[in-house]
Amino acid sequence: MTAIYLIGLREGLEITLVVSILVAFLVKSDRGHLLKFVWAGVAAAVLLSVGFAALLEAGAATLTFEQQELFEACASFAAVIFVTWMIFWMRRMARRMAAELRGRLEEAIQVGAWAIAGMAFLAVVREGLETSILFYAAAQGTKDSAEPLIGISLGLLTAVVLGWLLYASAVRINLTRFFTWTGALLVLVAAGIFKYGVHDLQESGVLPGINTHAYDVTGVLPPDAWYAELLRGMFNITPQPTVLETVAWLGYGIPVLVLFLLPLLKKDPKPAAEPAGAATSA
């Protein structure tokens, strides 16, 4: 549930930031009468995203065991692609997101009211569909069907509260730093999802080695212990993984994490001080 909460928080905050920037721009430019079109686009994007998540779940329920494992493997790999692209994109765009969105909204206003709804829809639906795929893939590793819904709901709720506080200027956080560290955590979450995908391929018979374990630390990490459950749920670190699962986790997690954090490691140890609240000036 912790991993799914993190996904909901990270994705939800991106969505709330996008919406708050659009709303703030309209309010500050005395165009509050156009807000209804923004909310119409946001509502349509949310409905499509929820419907897509339900379609994923319903489609998987009609498959045979082997087909379901293959379907879940494909969903896992798609989720890994999405989350990898997302964290690198947000690292690059965090500082200039507001200016870009404002420019697009100004162009949409010139076209017409429904162009505003379309712009808001497109800005939110990408994150919504991405969240649906990540949620479905991450939920495959849970034993309790209620935990994924609780985790994603709490994450999205937290994001909405943070987004509202940012909009109201009640709090100010360094968004660049926030997206950097949550991005690093999501790399490890994605490594676990990639491992799920490999395991599903082994379960379906596409890949061999389902009974060939890399190591067995059940004596140190008993499966029923709370910390073992936390590691499994958050990063899919299990006490008895197969060789291919271990190779998949390390083969994705280590190089991607290094590439993601490389700009931080290359920074001048004494950079110029960033103006207070610069990352939240959007």
Side-chain angles (χ1 to χ4, degrees), residues 9 13 77 83 96 99 105 112 117 155 158 166 186 204 213 218 241 245 282:
L9 173 62
L13 188 57
F77 296 143
V83 75
R96 62 175 188 261
L105 184 56
T158 305
L166 284 169
L186 280 179
S204 65
H213 299 116
T218 51
E245 286 178 322

Side-chain angles (χ1 to χ4, degrees), residues 57-73:
E57 188 64 34
T62 63
L63 304 177
T64 65
F65 175 78
E66 289 78 11
Q67 291 173 332
Q68 188 169 2
E69 293 298 315
L70 282 173
F71 181 80
E72 291 175 359

Side-chain angles (χ1 to χ4, degrees), residues 158-176:
T158 305
V160 169
V161 172
L162 284 175
W164 182 84
L165 290 174
L166 284 169
Y167 175 77
S169 297
V171 299
R172 299 184 70 82
I173 60 174
N174 188 312
L175 293 181
T176 301

Side-chain angles (χ1 to χ4, degrees), residues 200-223:
D200 288 333
L201 290 181
Q202 290 182 302
E203 288 279 3
S204 65
V206 173
L207 291 178
I210 188 65
N211 294 315
T212 306
H213 299 116
Y215 54 83
D216 185 351
V217 293
T218 51
V220 179
L221 200 66

Side-chain angles (χ1 to χ4, degrees), residues 13-27:
L13 188 57
E14 288 186 40
I15 294 172
T16 54
L17 282 174
V18 167
V19 174
S20 65
I21 289 169
L22 299 180
V23 170
F25 178 75
L26 290 178
V27 170

